[in-house]
Amino acid sequence: MSGPDLIVQRWTTRSAWFVAAMGALVVLLALGPTVFSAGLTDRLTTLFIYVILGAMWNALAGYGGLVSVGQQAFFGLGAYAAIRLSHAEVPVYPAIVLAGLAVGVLSLAVGEVMLRLRGGEFAVGMWVVAELAHLLVNLDPLVQGETGTSLIALNAVGAVARRGYNYWLALATMAALLGVLFALLRGRVGTAIQSIRDDEQAAGSLGVRVLPTKRIVFVLAATGCAMAGALWLSTAITFQPKAYFSVQWTAYMIFMTLVGGIGTFEGPVLGAVLFFLVETFFGARGVWYLVGLGAAALAFSLFLPRGMFGALDQRFSLRLLPLGYRVMLPGLLLRRGESGRG
Amino acid sequence: MAEPGTILAASGLGKRFGALVVLGDVDFAVREGEAVGIVGPNGAGKTTLLNVLSGAYPPSAGRVTFRGQDVSALDAAARCRRGIARSHQIPRPFSGMTVFENLLVAARAGGGLRGRAAELRCLDALEQCAMMPLANRRGETLGLLDRKRLELARALATGPQVLLLDEIGGGLTDGEAADLVGIIQAIRARGIAVVWIEHIVHILVQVVGRLVCMDAGRVIAEGAPGDVLRDAAVIDAYLGPSAHAHPVG
Ligand SMILES: Nc1ncnc2c1ncn2[C@@H]1O[C@H](COP(=O)(O)OP(=O)(O)O)[C@@H](O)[C@H]1O
Ligand SMILES: [Mg+2]
């Protein structure tokens, strides 16, 4: 055997089936509002938004090493931008989509400053950004301070149609964001961003363009969180700044990511489903609920650092998605490699 | 001022950290395909020289040229993409990525390759460094010797014209050291210039045609390995004055 003859495997039969099954699931879910009850449709809309939030925080922290405790900045700004655009006579659903994109553009400027900060500075800096965004939004007379306002234009859409549109838009946004993230991670951005996460200086020494690579992931995560905020507004209708710029949103993202599996693509999706179930069956919000979530996240990061999915993946070599690379070594070499040296 | 055939050169290079002068007025040049060894006691400034050459630190004085062009203002990533690759004395593996993926970062970013071409470059570098069996191991699972070897393979995967190596041979058995010498010789045979910092002089002299000895931030001797190792200043630097009866090497 010689190096150049070796196959570098990405797709396996299992991963091909898994990706096909996930595609089929999205298509089936698209039937949702026509077959599901109103309650279930609403709940699933919420789940899709949670999946977006978990996946975006994981893209940032799990793949980019950019731990943000201020992602609620973009969630809140997304909702606010939708209010503003709708007020400027943009039709309401286009306004929701445009709001996410507009905040994504804004995040380019935010990133220019924040991405020069490292580790803890970045985390705290993002929290400051969130507080600042909250204050600035409160200055807009349209918002009426903490009294808030609502996306009035939605009232013109009938309740049944609105439920369906919200659901489809959330599903489509979730699928699109997961698709973009998947494509990015499979390509050169994927290896570059993970190398920056693991050792920024070493990445630079190998030719990685550190800032532009971080920027891509930062803007994607900001756009995703902003879309989630605008979608949340489409379901809640009312906009009270305090509720949207609350740090609880980032706490949810962290919980979903840590419990599901940070740095794995599938983990936060699993985490979002779990979080959704916990919320559906234990319902309660309030302080103890948050304390419980925090404790669970902490326990996971201490005892299962790669979360539920990471543990499963390791135990059973699941490799459900073709994101990594496996050099197909002849048996003899493989055994020597597994036993290790040095 | 650089002679024809010079690929990487430093002139009047200085580096200070606050009040601490670590490099003072260093002139250094490597010709295409040449192998140069750098020796010197701990703290001499060898790693700092490599950091300034590779762009990890900006110089405090002087300039670095690559193929006659001033690259002093370029960062490490830009210099790597031009063809200057380095290993780290204290290995810095990407711990959450496999060995193969570690190399893929280098081949794609530093080497500018895509698709199968990038994969082939990585497989080639793994084979050349005898690391193929470890291809699918995560960086964090490697022991120190394999981490050092990974530094070499990863730098090689960028497709460099100059390879700057910082103490990749420490802690090896005689057999492993001989393997390493073979690897570096094969790299040289491809026309890649090598600058190799190493304490284990008897390994170094099997590869390099020229030796540079540094002490206290300066080049104190330079030339054919045998001459440098017999140089009085070099013996002083290593063993202190009065040790002239016991030459190094
Ligand atoms: N980033 C830094 N900040 C301050 N001092 C440094 C830094 N890097 C190296 N030094 C100092 O510079 C001197 C030379 O270090 P180094 O280049 O690592 O030597 P060598 O590689 O020859 O052992 C040492 O005294 C070291 O403490
Ligand atoms: Mg050193």
Side-chain angles (χ1 to χ4, degrees):
Chain A
M1 83 89 226
S2 87
D5 300 334
L6 293 175
I7 291 170
V8 178
Q9 187 189 57
R10 305 207 71 189
W11 288 96
T12 61
T13 315
R14 185 191 290 154
S15 65
W17 276 109
F18 183 74
V19 170
M22 287 299 117
L25 181 63
V26 170
V27 172
L28 278 179
L29 282 172
L31 297 174
T34 62
V35 285
F36 296 153
S37 71
L40 183 58
T41 305
D42 284 343
R43 289 302 294 150
L44 284 177
T45 306
T46 302
L47 172 62
F48 300 152
I49 296 173
Y50 288 163
V51 170
I52 294 172
L53 290 175
M56 292 301 109
W57 197 81
N58 180 52
L60 206 53
Y63 283 102
L66 295 161
V67 177
S68 162
V69 292
Q71 284 307 99
Q72 69 273 17
F74 302 116
F75 187 83
L77 285 173
Y80 167 70
I83 298 260
R84 261 282 153 209
L85 286 166
S86 172
H87 186 72
E89 308 292 331
V90 178
V92 66
Y93 279 99
I96 288 168
V97 176
L98 281 176
L101 299 178
V103 174
V105 172
L106 176 72
S107 76
L108 267 171
V110 178
E112 242 14 64
V113 180
M114 301 314 296
L115 292 176
R116 287 165 209 280
L117 305 178
R118 301 276 158 80
E121 291 176 2
F122 173 82
V124 175
M126 284 306 299
W127 178 75
V128 173
V129 165
E131 291 298 298
L132 208 61
H134 184 183
L135 284 173
L136 288 175
V137 163
N138 274 0
L139 290 180
D140 185 343
L142 180 66
V143 173
Q144 308 171 71
E146 288 302 347
T147 317
T149 179
S150 34
L151 194 55
I152 313 153
L154 272 179
N155 292 330
V157 187
V160 175
R162 193 165 69 213
R163 173 172 292 118
Y165 292 155
N166 288 347
Y167 176 97
W168 278 310
L169 188 54
L171 177 65
T173 305
M174 177 190 76
L177 285 168
L178 291 179
V180 168
L181 180 62
F182 180 68
L184 277 179
L185 291 176
R186 259 180 72 79
R188 49 205 285 134
V189 172
T191 41
I193 192 68
Q194 292 178 75
S195 75
I196 293 169
R197 170 197 66 197
D198 287 349
D199 191 327
E200 184 168 323
Q201 215 178 316
S205 81
L206 294 168
V208 174
R209 290 177 167 89
V210 171
L211 194 60
T213 307
K214 281 185 179 177
R215 196 183 283 136
I216 292 171
V217 175
F218 185 80
V219 169
L220 173 69
T223 309
C225 289
M227 274 304 299
L231 287 166
W232 193 266
L233 177 67
S234 78
T235 64
I237 301 182
T238 58
F239 177 75
Q240 284 160 319
K242 207 184 275 178
Y244 284 79
F245 287 101
S246 164
V247 73
Q248 81 178 24
W249 294 108
T250 298
Y252 294 169
M253 296 181 218
I254 296 176
F255 172 85
M256 293 185 275
T257 304
L258 290 186
V259 170
I262 188 165
T264 66
F265 189 93
E266 302 89 335
V269 180
L270 190 63
V273 172
L274 193 85
F275 175 69
F276 171 80
L277 292 176
V278 168
E279 193 193 56
T280 305
F281 292 107
F282 301 98
R285 292 182 174 258
V287 178
W288 286 107
Y289 176 62
L290 283 176
V291 168
L293 290 182
L298 201 65
F300 267 89
S301 66
L302 285 176
F303 301 112
L304 271 187
R306 281 172 62 81
M308 291 196 306
F309 187 81
L312 289 174
D313 197 28
Q314 201 166 12
R315 172 75 51 90
F316 302 107
S317 302
L318 292 179
R319 301 210 296 129
L320 294 180
L321 289 175
L323 284 173
Y325 302 78
R326 178 156 297 248
V327 181
M328 302 307 285
L329 298 169
L332 180 70
L333 275 179
L334 192 62
R335 274 196 302 280
R336 259 170 60 201
E338 302 298 321
S339 65
R341 44 160 278 182
Chain B
M1 55 173 275
E3 296 167 43
T6 298
I7 184 159
L8 181 65
S11 57
L13 209 59
K15 181 67 195 173
R16 55 173 70 219
F17 296 103
L20 181 69
V21 177
V22 176
L23 289 181
D25 200 26
V26 171
D27 290 316
F28 177 81
V30 198
R31 289 190 308 279
E32 297 203 28
E34 191 192 17
V36 183
I38 301 181
V39 295
N42 278 326
K46 305 181 297 294
T47 298
T48 304
L49 173 61
L50 202 145
N51 278 330
V52 178
L53 288 174
S54 66
Y57 299 151
S60 312
R63 60 197 199 115
V64 178
T65 56
F66 180 66
R67 296 191 167 285
Q69 287 183 321
D70 192 338
V71 293
S72 310
L74 297 183
D75 67 7
R79 289 191 211 184
C80 176
R81 292 195 295 270
R82 293 215 178 174
I84 306 172
R86 59 92 50 97
S87 75
H88 296 91
Q89 181 178 350
I90 298 165
R92 315 181 72 138
F94 302 128
S95 50
M97 308 174 78
T98 68
V99 166
F100 180 80
E101 288 161 0
N102 267 260
L103 268 65
L104 205 50
V105 172
R108 284 173 166 176
L113 298 177
R114 288 168 179 271
R116 181 69 181 163
E119 291 177 359
L120 286 176
R121 167 75 66 75
C122 298
L123 292 172
D124 181 53
L126 283 175
E127 183 162 73
Q128 185 144 36
C129 297
M131 287 196 83
M132 196 64 86
L134 304 174
N136 298 320
R137 288 260 303 267
R138 274 164 74 95
E140 65 194 355
T141 69
L142 299 182
L144 179 62
L145 295 185
D146 286 326
R147 286 174 189 231
K148 288 191 176 190
R149 188 65 65 89
L150 176 58
E151 285 287 330
L152 172 63
R154 214 167 54 172
L156 194 58
T158 65
Q161 295 169 33
V162 183
L163 194 52
L164 308 173
L165 303 175
D166 197 353
E167 298 193 27
I168 54 169
L172 298 180
T173 65
D174 286 348
E176 288 166 337
D179 291 345
L180 183 62
V181 166
I183 290 169
I184 307 291
Q185 277 166 345
I187 289 170
R188 274 206 65 198
R190 296 183 168 198
I192 299 171
V194 174
V195 177
W196 188 1
I197 299 172
E198 195 60 74
H199 278 303
I200 312 158
V201 179
H202 70 91
I203 299 182
L204 203 52
V205 296
Q206 292 177 54
V207 176
V208 303
R210 188 157 62 91
L211 207 55
V212 170
C213 181
M214 291 181 68
D215 186 32
R218 292 177 182 278
V219 173
I220 57 166
E222 180 174 2
D227 297 342
V228 170
L229 294 174
R230 277 189 296 274
D231 189 289
V234 173
I235 297 166
D236 281 355
Y238 267 98
L239 305 171
S242 83
H244 291 230
H246 310 281
V248 201

